[in-house]
Amino acid sequence: MTSDSYALVIPISLPTHNGQQRSGNEQLLEESFSQSAPSCIVSWGYQGSQEGESHTVNEHGIVVGCGDGSVFVLRPSGHEAAPNIPVSVPPPMSPTESISSPTSPRRYRGLGHPSSRSASPSSVKPSLSPFQVSRSRVVSSVSTESAEAPKNYVDFDDEQERLRGMLKGRGKHHRHASTSRTRNEKDTMPPVQVGGAAGGSSLRREDTRSYLSAALSPSSSTVSLSNPPSPTLIPAISPEPSSVTTWRMRCHVFPPHSRPNSAISALKVHESGRYFSCLHVSGGLSVHRMSDGCCVISTMIEAKPKAATGGKAQPTPSVLWVWRKLLVAASEESIILFACASPDELYPMNQFMDTTSGNSDSQSVLVAYELCFGPQADEASLLYLGQWYMNGPLNSIGLRAEHDHSITLFYANPNGHFVSRSIRVNDPPSSPLELPDSHSSTHLPLPNPFKALKALSTENVIETATQTVPERIEFGAEVDHGTLGLTEMVLGLRAHDVDDREARLCAWSEHELLIARWKQNVVERFPAFGAAGIQDARWISHESFSVLHADHLALYSILHAANGDKGSSVQQAKLLHTTPLSSYDTASIVPGGHVLSTRVKNGRRRIHFISVDPSEAPSESPKTRTLWKARSDAFASPSRSRISSLLPPELDAIVIGYADGRLCRSSLLSLAQNDSVTNQTSDFSLPGAILALDVVTNARTGERIVVGGADDGTIAMWSLDTLKLYARWTMFTTPLARTISLHDEKMGRLHGCILCVSQDGTIAVVAVDGFQFVYLVPASAAPLARICLSEDNLLLVYTDGRARLWDSKTREFWRSMSIEKAEELVQQGGWFEWDIVNTIEKTSALSSSHRASLDAASTLLVDIPALLRQLSGSPALADPGSAVLDRGAKLAHARVLLSMLLTCGISEGIDTICSEGLSIKAASATLGVASPDTLSVVPQPNAASVWTLSPEASADRALAILSLLHFLAQFEDLAQDASTVITFYAASIGQLVPDYQPPSLPRLAHHMLHTQTAEVRHAVRLLLDASVARLSDTETTELVETWQRYLPHIAADKERDSSRSAKALCICGFIAVDKYSLLPTSTLTDIAKSIAVYLHDETSPHRSLAIDLCSRGFQVWQQYVDAVEMLRALFTLATTTKKEAISVPNIGVQARVAVLHIAANNTPLFMTTLALDILHPRSVQHRKSVMQLVIFLIRKKPLVLYSNLPRLVEAIVKSLDPNSSASRDAVLDSATEILSHIVQTFPTVDFHMGSQRLAVGTSEGAVVMYDLKTATRLYVLEGHKKRTTACSFSPDGRRLVTLSLEESDVLVWKVGSSFTSFFLPGAPPRQGHSGSEPFKTLNFHIGDAAHMSIEATLVNVHFEWTADRSVKLKIKDTTLTFST
């Protein structure tokens, strides 16, 4: 999945209780959090190292991963009067946890992303170890009082008044403890950082080293190389009053791989808390924005078989890998992610007699990816680097950055030895072919390949190790440093740097713990001591460390004792004190040795922070703070009427499953208004909550059937129309997960059946016609990944690398095979395939979230472009199978969606227009954020809060609102009010919403490139214009400088058609049109040439963008490129004869609109190009195409051609030159058609068929006569002094009458052939008297009608001949008769 997959989908959460109104969804998210099963927890914080740098509450956060694969994000809130417990920010990481970086081209900074250095280069030694721990600043003058934190464990459930009273009643001593932290103390406080969670198994244990924890602040300053001060002093937990904050739920994220039995096993934070990555036990890896949870990149990790001798891969062993750990090493260029897995302990090894599967419980596999973030918030790439197998326990694996630009991977092998291997990550090779041609040295791109990496899809991200490892990864041989000294198998290992040459090790087994010193590749171990039930350990400094147990936290200090005659010192750990811990769901140790945990008490989820201090006496009480607590008991009164699943087959038919087993049918309008009266209810209830609803069709009767399951394993089938229960079975031990309809006749004897797949992989085959249960396919020990079906064979592929083949005819198991054999079988053809792992594809405008969580179950996903196609009047643009709606139904659906999207309460005037003018009533629904295969449910304490999430979320919501309003504006009675509301949401709403996040330009550019719906594209243009107008001069310059390097003209050839280059052109192009005066000439030249690149490239997928920019800014681009060639390219596209698909934007239609726009605004250049292309075409076909364009202009924009009509007619006449018979024959039809349209449209032009004469009046008053037989100009009649309004031939062709309204004269000319024309060719015929005066001059007076506009004369003025010498002149309602 890449960011290019973003669609305009808006999640709408409906009221979860039948008939119950809700003002917001905060309580619902809290209840969902309380009922979840957390599997890991991390936190992060930001610390600026310079004095005077402040820290805000928004620079901290907590992320909790859950057993269903979802993630909860919590952030501090600066708003007051919040119901959660206001507490001080927990003590962040001590200065001893600051991580330095090796001075090298690739600086590994542990888990954070690099930031600007605060220290000067001269202050940095050339060799820094990332394990070097030092205090960047020693806080002086800290009294004993100011170093103490409140010692009361506050956890009142419903007694916040008591909490306030306690705070008010504090003595002087306690008040000082919470307010005495100095500015320097605040500036030197490092971030709060939590590693992997502990919970009784290695699945949630902490990473090997503190610097490998993903949430380390990436902005840690360059530390001093001097010896660190004494580690016995730790900054006190005494924040200033300004840091007392309220923690709020930020969002509930459902990543692409979230599903039952796919728990989150590891979480890491990147880029100072801007992003987080999550690893699932199933191998799903995704990276998300912290602001709104949107997924920016994801992949599915697959362990590959080991390579045999000669590089040939062995058959995939039958091993079920469980991905449990994520290590991170950040450099200046990118972030390296190492995903680690170990075999499932419950999976039966060697069940297929597979010798390659191994039987070691300590076997591990490690897969490396390179993560690079792009210039926009939703752009990232995830590049596969390699895979390696390790013979050691997973929780002992760790990383260490070395001063020679390499990484050291260390772990403990099954024999208890400490082993290390060197890893060197090389930069991608720069190919000379990738360097683009540049017109200026200022545009020569720097060789930074990490910023040009293209995001890979899940299918392409895994490459063979033999192809990529030699290029990017150099993996050294194992180095055995000797035994660690534990008598049992090593379960965990943590390391901490003392200096460049020495690191401290902490290793433990089931009943023992020891410390060791790793110095100059030699491990010096010290005596082990008893310590059972260790969950995790973390170094506080090289003199102390914390150990997490199931029920307590132990704090140890390192003691030094003389070693007899040797003169050396012996180190041993001394237990300082233990801190009892309440039972927790998951916990982890944060930097500084503190513990972050979460649990449920009295039905409310809580997050606790337990702080420890090695300097305190053992008698000191533990300091426990409740950072966050749910406001209500999620289990007090469980509502059986809450929504548990949704199925929206149609806009007017939405099926709702409830937790009490009932099934209801409603409409979107009823749900929006929370109206339960119109709901149709099933006649029978299931014994549990209804899940996984789907609709199938009976192939024989055409009846649509609803299929669903209950949480007890029951499967049921209902009629969609009546909700009558047809059948039900209790056949699963786990709930139904998915239904697959076998409707194709080529599916053999299973045609007409459905496959009901449970969460554990059991498959039930059910015949739809007759509702008969056919047979059951049992589950495997491994999760089901894919189903393949041929006529009589059912092939089931599992995640352990094995496949099972079933005979659907005999209903028997045939054989088991490796995944390679299964692929060979499928590639032979004739198979239907379904991916069970990936999310079900959406096929309609409305779809459900397919998640069973409290908050996600009631969420509908609205595909705005698909919805607008369904509401459109063209059946060709509507989605297949969608019903054709009448006007009333279209308006009703658009209004109900707008009622849920619009923000009520921020503008009384707009609310009035919406309710009275547009008939839109406010609905009780909340909005979320969607990204590819990802859902983020966002708490909304008020209606306007959704505009404060992120620029990307604001862009999607504004675009959805404007698109639907543009649809309403198509109706004449609603157009004015809709336009008013459009203007408000495009340009004014930001002024009324505090902390408003303006729409993201890159996100809008993405929709501009990938959306084909007319209303959406129109809304995108409007928002782009409004967003560009809001930019300051500085923001404009910075934004263009950021994106200019990716313009197609500058980018390498293979990157020109990339999404990034197209976005760069869209952003820079829209800015240049509006603010070209701020941009240098070189930038405008690059933009103009980039437009030309796309415009002239017939294979480019982005020609639509180039046409749009040509239309908008042709006056700007014509100064920097060949404007005539640009126009000619548009002419060609506008008259293309290719059969284009019926879609928007149609290139031909869009090019014709651009031509009209350019013709109206750049008429001289346009007419010059038009005339040149008619007179001197590149080819006959080109001339014919241009003539077709002229016909189009005559029909659409006749006034554009009016002033240049004589010039155009002369070019057309000359194209009919009889001396060039081939050319004349080719364009004769087109020229004749053009002249016909001209005569019918413009009263100043007339044609006489018999004589083949063509008369053209001019703006100067003259009339030009042409002979089409010879394609020549005959003569010019000059009688009028002002503009000619109309002219007309008599039926016999011997008279021509001309009219000038400005002169109020009608002139009569003799134009028939005469004897003198043979002697004076080119001279007008004699008029019966001497001179060039007309034959007759007739005056008239019609009052104000003589002053009509040119546009009016095209319609209201014409001649009508009653005889050869009698003519009527009709001017509006006036008729004048003249004799000629």
Side-chain angles (χ1 to χ4, degrees):
M1 190 286 302
T2 67
S3 59
D4 288 344
S5 307
Y6 279 94
L8 185 55
V9 175
I10 305 297
I12 298 179
S13 297
L14 303 171
T16 59
H17 294 70
N18 193 358
Q20 176 182 352
Q21 291 287 342
R22 278 185 176 271
S23 58
N25 61 342
E26 287 185 293
Q27 181 179 345
L28 180 64
L29 266 77
E30 293 179 4
E31 292 177 359
S32 179
F33 191 19
S34 298
Q35 296 184 15
S36 65
S39 56
C40 62
I41 182 171
V42 301
S43 71
W44 85 95
Y46 177 83
Q47 184 253 337
S49 60
Q50 296 185 6
E51 291 191 14
E53 186 173 353
S54 62
H55 311 286
T56 65
V57 295
N58 290 327
E59 292 168 346
H60 305 276
I62 298 173
V63 185
V64 182
C66 300
D68 62 350
S70 66
V71 177
F72 289 90
V73 179
L74 293 91
R75 301 292 297 271
S77 171
H79 303 290
E80 298 179 356
N84 282 326
I85 301 176
V87 296
S88 300
V89 176
M93 182 180 70
S94 68
T96 59
E97 290 291 327
S98 273
I99 303 304
S100 61
S101 307
T103 305
S104 65
R106 185 180 282 269
R107 294 174 176 266
Y108 291 99
R109 299 192 171 211
L111 304 184
H113 198 67
S115 67
S116 59
R117 303 176 182 83
S118 59
S120 63
S122 61
S123 66
V124 183
K125 277 193 176 182
S127 177
L128 297 177
S129 167
F131 272 42
Q132 172 64 41
V133 198
S134 66
R135 300 177 188 271
S136 58
R137 195 174 290 111
V138 179
V139 181
S140 59
S141 302
V142 180
S143 65
T144 304
E145 292 180 348
S146 63
E148 292 184 5
K151 300 176 177 57
N152 302 83
Y153 173 39
V154 182
D155 192 15
F156 300 122
D157 293 335
D158 300 304
E159 302 185 47
Q160 293 197 16
E161 291 299 326
R162 291 179 59 186
L163 174 61
R164 297 192 192 99
M166 187 195 72
L167 293 176
K168 291 180 180 179
R170 271 198 230 167
K172 178 179 179 181
H173 172 82
H174 291 92
R175 288 195 299 271
H176 183 70
S178 64
T179 61
S180 64
R181 187 161 62 89
T182 64
R183 180 62 174 266
N184 286 343
E185 288 176 285
K186 182 178 74 170
D187 291 342
T188 57
M189 287 178 67
V192 177
Q193 166 59 42
V194 184
S201 70
S202 61
L203 177 65
R204 298 192 293 265
R205 287 177 183 149
E206 171 60 5
D207 287 337
T208 304
R209 295 176 46 189
S210 61
Y211 98 100
L212 292 175
S213 175
L216 268 184
S217 171
S219 58
S220 58
S221 63
T222 305
V223 299
S224 171
L225 290 178
S226 60
N227 290 331
S230 173
T232 56
L233 293 178
I234 292 182
I237 310 165
S238 54
E240 297 175 349
S242 60
S243 64
V244 177
T245 63
T246 298
W247 288 74
R248 286 186 179 274
M249 182 80 67
R250 180 72 176 186
C251 55
H252 185 192
V253 185
F254 295 85
H257 309 286
S258 62
R259 61 181 185 275
N261 305 320
S262 184
I264 300 289
S265 57
L267 291 164
K268 297 297 177 185
V269 180
H270 313 290
E271 296 273 296
S272 302
R274 290 181 59 203
Y275 302 93
F276 69 90
S277 56
C278 56
L279 177 68
H280 298 257
V281 294
S282 60
L285 176 63
S286 56
V287 182
H288 301 256
R289 283 199 308 268
M290 192 71 73
S291 58
D292 55 15
C294 283
C295 179
V296 297
I297 189 71
S298 69
T299 187
M300 191 70 185
I301 307 174
E302 297 178 1
K304 296 189 173 186
K306 296 180 180 179
T309 305
K312 185 177 179 180
Q314 299 177 356
T316 302
S318 55
V319 179
L320 181 58
W321 293 103
V322 179
W323 300 88
R324 309 175 188 268
K325 191 170 186 177
L326 190 63
L327 304 178
V328 182
S331 69
E332 297 285 356
E333 294 82 6
S334 61
I335 299 174
I336 309 299
L337 304 178
F338 296 89
C340 309
S342 60
D344 189 346
E345 298 87 349
L346 302 179
Y347 183 81
M349 304 297 290
N350 293 327
Q351 60 174 323
F352 301 103
M353 304 301 293
D354 187 355
T355 57
T356 62
S357 62
N359 54 8
S360 174
D361 294 335
S362 61
Q363 185 181 18
S364 302
V365 63
L366 184 146
V367 178
Y369 291 90
E370 183 176 47
L371 173 62
C372 298
F373 293 104
Q376 64 188 81
D378 56 359
E379 182 176 346
S381 62
L382 201 57
L383 182 65
Y384 173 81
L385 295 181
Q387 171 185 298
W388 305 271
Y389 286 88
M390 305 294 168
N391 195 16
L394 183 77
N395 203 30
S396 69
I397 300 176
L399 298 176
R400 179 185 184 184
E402 303 291 351
H403 60 83
D404 63 347
H405 316 165
S406 65
I407 305 173
T408 296
L409 174 76
F410 59 85
Y411 57 93
N413 66 16
N415 298 324
H417 286 233
F418 184 73
V419 179
S420 67
R421 298 182 70 177
S422 174
I423 302 177
R424 183 177 294 274
V425 182
N426 299 319
D427 294 344
S430 298
S431 172
L433 298 177
E434 295 180 2
L435 296 178
D437 297 331
S438 179
H439 66 279
S440 170
S441 61
T442 59
H443 298 115
L444 183 64
L446 297 177
N448 189 353
F450 299 96
K451 294 184 179 180
L453 290 177
K454 193 172 182 181
L456 302 180
S457 65
T458 302
E459 293 78 9
N460 298 328
V461 75
I462 301 296
E463 302 289 346
T464 58
T466 57
Q467 292 177 327
T468 58
V469 171
E471 297 178 1
R472 298 299 312 278
I473 298 291
E474 295 179 13
F475 211 92
E478 291 187 355
V479 178
D480 194 330
H481 302 280
T483 180
L484 288 170
L486 291 173
T487 60
E488 300 173 322
M489 181 179 175
V490 177
L491 297 182
L493 178 64
R494 300 291 179 263
H496 186 78
D497 268 6
V498 178
D499 52 35
D500 294 345
R501 297 169 296 175
E502 179 182 349
R504 297 285 171 84
L505 303 177
C506 174
W508 68 89
S509 63
E510 186 175 356
H511 300 94
E512 296 177 309
L513 184 146
L514 64 77
I515 59 173
R517 180 165 54 191
W518 180 20
K519 186 175 183 180
Q520 296 179 347
N521 290 329
V522 176
V523 175
E524 180 183 357
R525 62 184 184 275
F526 303 102
F529 56 92
I534 296 178
Q535 304 291 322
D536 197 6
R538 188 181 189 118
W539 289 92
I540 302 173
S541 67
H542 63 277
E543 300 289 347
S544 59
F545 60 94
S546 293
V547 177
L548 179 65
H549 296 260
D551 57 355
H552 69 278
L553 176 69
L555 182 62
Y556 291 88
S557 178
I558 306 299
L559 299 181
H560 302 269
N563 190 14
D565 298 334
K566 296 183 180 181
S568 60
S569 62
V570 176
Q571 300 179 1
Q572 58 183 10
K574 176 186 177 182
L575 178 63
L576 294 182
H577 57 76
T578 60
T579 301
L581 301 177
S582 302
S583 59
Y584 52 81
D585 294 331
T586 185
S588 58
I589 310 178
V590 304
H594 317 295
V595 172
L596 187 72
S597 66
T598 179
R599 64 173 181 143
V600 174
K601 179 182 179 182
N602 297 332
R604 304 183 186 185
R605 170 74 56 192
R606 291 163 167 77
I607 296 179
H608 298 307
F609 187 88
I610 303 97
S611 60
V612 297
D613 190 343
S615 63
E616 291 181 347
S619 59
E620 291 288 342
S621 302
K623 295 169 281 294
T624 301
R625 289 190 175 91
T626 301
L627 302 185
W628 181 90
K629 181 176 68 174
R631 290 167 290 186
S632 61
D633 187 349
F635 307 94
S637 56
S639 175
R640 301 291 293 172
S641 62
R642 68 170 179 84
I643 296 176
S644 58
S645 60
L646 290 173
L647 174 64
E650 297 176 2
L651 294 174
D652 287 328
I654 298 179
V655 180
I656 312 165
Y658 288 96
D660 58 3
R662 290 181 300 112
L663 201 66
C664 295
R665 173 172 169 164
S666 184
S667 65
L668 189 61
L669 178 61
S670 298
L671 290 174
Q673 300 300 327
N674 207 7
D675 182 10
S676 61
V677 178
T678 59
N679 291 347
Q680 184 178 2
T681 308
S682 59
D683 57 347
F684 190 84
S685 298
L686 297 186
I690 296 180
L691 306 173
L693 290 172
D694 203 350
V695 60
V696 298
T697 303
N698 188 325
R700 182 179 62 84
T701 63
E703 182 184 11
R704 290 190 294 175
I705 309 297
V706 176
V707 181
D711 54 10
D712 66 341
T714 299
I715 298 177
M717 304 177 75
W718 299 265
S719 168
L720 176 61
D721 296 329
T722 63
L723 294 187
K724 178 183 178 181
L725 181 66
Y726 284 147
R728 70 164 185 161
W729 306 269
T730 302
M731 57 184 69
F732 293 151
T733 58
T734 58
L736 177 68
R738 182 174 179 181
T739 301
I740 299 174
S741 177
L742 308 179
H743 52 78
D744 197 297
E745 295 182 356
K746 298 180 181 179
M747 293 178 175
R749 62 181 61 253
L750 293 184
H751 169 63
C753 296
I754 58 173
L755 302 180
C756 299
V757 185
S758 69
Q759 294 180 2
D760 64 358
T762 305
I763 300 175
V765 181
V766 178
V768 177
D769 192 9
F771 313 108
Q772 295 294 320
F773 167 69
V774 182
Y775 61 91
L776 197 70
V777 179
S780 172
L784 180 64
R786 190 164 41 133
I787 297 177
C788 305
L789 177 66
S790 65
E791 291 187 358
D792 293 324
N793 295 313
L794 185 64
L795 182 65
L796 308 179
V797 182
Y798 297 90
T799 58
D800 61 351
R802 305 295 301 182
R804 292 178 174 179
L805 186 62
W806 292 78
D807 186 350
S808 59
K809 183 178 180 180
T810 62
R811 307 178 186 178
E812 295 177 349
F813 169 71
W814 271 24
R815 62 189 179 98
S816 175
M817 65 185 74
S818 66
I819 194 172
E820 289 80 9
K821 294 294 184 182
E823 292 293 345
E824 293 177 3
L825 187 62
V826 172
Q827 290 176 3
Q828 295 176 4
W831 291 83
F832 297 90
E833 299 183 55
W834 296 272
D835 192 349
I836 305 300
V837 175
N838 292 336
T839 306
I840 302 174
E841 295 183 358
K842 296 180 285 291
T843 57
S844 61
L846 297 182
S847 60
S848 63
S849 65
H850 301 288
R851 269 90 177 189
S853 176
L854 283 178
D855 46 0
S858 60
T859 300
L860 281 175
L861 304 179
V862 183
D863 188 330
I864 300 298
L867 177 71
L868 289 170
R869 288 193 297 269
Q870 188 169 344
L871 296 180
S872 67
S874 173
L877 293 181
D879 291 334
S882 60
V884 178
L885 306 175
D886 58 18
R887 182 183 187 275
K890 292 178 181 180
L891 285 175
H893 292 315
R895 282 168 173 157
V896 68
L897 284 170
L898 282 170
S899 69
M900 294 182 283
L901 291 171
L902 294 174
T903 306
C904 300
I906 60 175
S907 173
E908 183 177 353
I910 294 298
D911 291 347
T912 302
I913 293 175
C914 291
S915 60
E916 298 179 2
L918 299 177
S919 302
I920 299 175
K921 299 180 181 179
S924 55
T926 55
L927 303 181
V929 183
S931 54
D933 299 327
T934 303
L935 168 66
S936 295
V937 181
V938 182
Q940 295 179 27
N942 54 72
S945 61
V946 74
W947 296 104
T948 64
L949 288 175
S950 66
E952 292 75 21
S954 296
D956 283 356
R957 184 177 186 182
L959 196 54
I961 291 174
L962 265 61
S963 300
L964 289 169
L965 286 172
H966 276 301
F967 172 78
L968 290 185
Q970 298 174 7
F971 300 92
E972 184 176 357
D973 55 331
L974 304 176
Q976 183 176 355
D977 290 334
S979 298
T980 303
V981 182
I982 287 173
T983 304
F984 172 77
Y985 279 95
S988 304
I989 188 173
Q991 304 172 10
L992 302 177
V993 176
D995 302 323
Y996 175 73
Q997 296 289 326
S1000 163
L1001 280 175
R1003 189 61 168 264
L1004 293 174
H1006 166 83
H1007 290 302
M1008 183 73 178
L1009 296 173
H1010 297 92
T1011 304
Q1012 297 183 343
T1013 307
E1015 292 87 353
V1016 179
R1017 291 181 64 83
H1018 190 78
V1020 169
R1021 295 188 189 98
L1022 185 59
L1023 285 174
L1024 281 171
D1025 288 337
S1027 299
V1028 169
R1030 279 194 296 261
L1031 294 175
S1032 65
D1033 293 352
T1034 302
E1035 292 171 337
T1036 299
T1037 304
E1038 292 176 352
L1039 191 61
V1040 172
E1041 288 178 352
T1042 299
W1043 286 94
Q1044 182 180 356
R1045 72 190 73 174
Y1046 304 112
L1047 287 173
H1049 172 62
I1050 300 176
D1053 290 342
K1054 67 178 184 180
E1055 295 291 333
R1056 285 182 177 175
D1057 288 333
S1058 67
S1059 178
R1060 178 183 291 180
S1061 292
K1063 288 178 185 177
L1065 179 57
C1066 183
I1067 294 170
C1068 295
F1070 270 83
I1071 291 176
V1073 170
D1074 188 54
K1075 301 187 175 185
Y1076 60 89
S1077 60
L1078 300 176
L1079 306 183
T1081 301
S1082 59
T1083 300
L1084 293 172
T1085 302
D1086 287 338
I1087 297 173
K1089 290 185 176 181
S1090 297
I1091 295 174
V1093 166
Y1094 282 163
L1095 198 62
H1096 295 287
D1097 186 0
E1098 295 183 358
T1099 63
S1100 174
H1102 305 301
R1103 297 182 96 179
S1104 173
L1105 173 64
I1107 295 171
D1108 195 284
L1109 291 176
C1110 279
S1111 175
R1112 301 175 65 84
F1114 186 81
Q1115 291 179 334
V1116 178
W1117 320 132
Q1118 67 179 352
Q1119 304 176 46
Y1120 305 100
V1121 292
D1122 189 336
V1124 173
E1125 289 300 317
M1126 185 174 283
L1127 267 177
R1128 284 172 175 163
L1130 289 175
F1131 290 172
T1132 302
L1133 292 173
T1135 57
T1136 181
T1137 57
K1138 294 181 180 179
K1139 297 296 183 180
E1140 298 169 313
I1142 303 178
S1143 62
V1144 181
N1146 183 300
I1147 296 299
V1149 173
Q1150 191 180 8
R1152 288 189 283 274
V1153 173
V1155 167
L1156 289 176
H1157 185 77
I1158 295 172
N1161 294 277
N1162 300 269
T1163 305
L1165 176 63
F1166 177 81
M1167 295 306 303
T1168 299
T1169 306
L1170 201 64
L1172 286 174
D1173 282 6
I1174 293 176
L1175 295 175
H1176 308 288
R1178 296 176 178 177
S1179 63
V1180 175
Q1181 181 62 38
H1182 180 70
R1183 174 185 282 171
K1184 187 176 180 180
S1185 298
V1186 173
M1187 288 186 172
Q1188 292 175 356
L1189 181 62
V1190 173
I1191 297 173
F1192 171 75
L1193 289 172
I1194 295 171
R1195 292 173 177 173
K1196 299 296 184 179
K1197 291 283 185 179
L1199 291 180
V1200 173
L1201 302 176
Y1202 188 87
S1203 60
N1204 293 275
L1205 200 57
R1207 186 178 181 182
L1208 174 63
V1209 172
E1210 183 165 352
I1212 296 172
V1213 171
K1214 289 184 178 180
S1215 69
L1216 298 174
D1217 187 357
N1219 295 323
S1220 178
S1221 58
S1223 175
R1224 180 186 175 96
D1225 294 341
V1227 300
L1228 181 60
D1229 292 340
S1230 298
T1232 303
E1233 186 178 2
I1234 289 176
L1235 293 176
S1236 175
H1237 282 285
I1238 290 176
V1239 171
Q1240 294 175 14
T1241 305
F1242 300 98
T1244 57
V1245 181
D1246 197 26
F1247 174 70
H1248 187 259
M1249 179 66 70
S1251 62
Q1252 291 290 297
R1253 300 289 177 87
L1254 182 70
V1256 181
T1258 66
S1259 300
E1260 293 78 15
V1263 178
V1264 183
M1265 187 69 71
Y1266 294 97
D1267 183 6
L1268 297 189
K1269 291 183 292 186
T1270 59
T1272 58
R1273 179 195 292 188
L1274 293 177
Y1275 47 79
V1276 177
L1277 302 174
E1278 297 179 335
H1280 295 292
K1281 304 302 181 182
K1282 296 184 179 180
R1283 179 174 62 88
T1284 303
T1285 306
C1287 66
S1288 178
F1289 283 101
S1290 64
D1292 61 359
R1294 301 184 64 84
R1295 296 288 187 270
L1296 177 71
V1297 291
T1298 61
L1299 164 69
S1300 175
L1301 280 181
E1302 297 178 12
E1303 296 177 343
S1304 297
D1305 287 339
V1306 173
L1307 304 182
V1308 181
W1309 304 85
K1310 291 182 178 181
V1311 294
S1313 299
S1314 64
F1315 182 76
T1316 58
S1317 63
F1318 292 99
F1319 299 97
L1320 298 173
R1326 293 179 60 86
Q1327 302 299 320
H1329 49 76
S1330 60
S1332 58
E1333 296 298 324
F1335 176 64
K1336 286 183 180 181
T1337 300
L1338 307 173
N1339 300 320
F1340 61 90
H1341 299 281
I1342 57 174
D1344 294 337
H1347 303 288
M1348 68 176 63
S1349 64
I1350 295 177
E1351 185 177 6
T1353 62
L1354 301 183
V1355 179
N1356 298 321
V1357 177
H1358 67 277
F1359 287 101
E1360 182 178 319
W1361 290 87
T1362 59
D1364 287 344
R1365 298 296 177 264
S1366 179
V1367 63
K1368 290 183 179 180
L1369 172 61
K1370 293 187 176 181
I1371 305 174
K1372 284 189 176 181
D1373 299 330
T1374 302
T1375 302
L1376 304 176
T1377 303
F1378 300 98
S1379 174
T1380 62

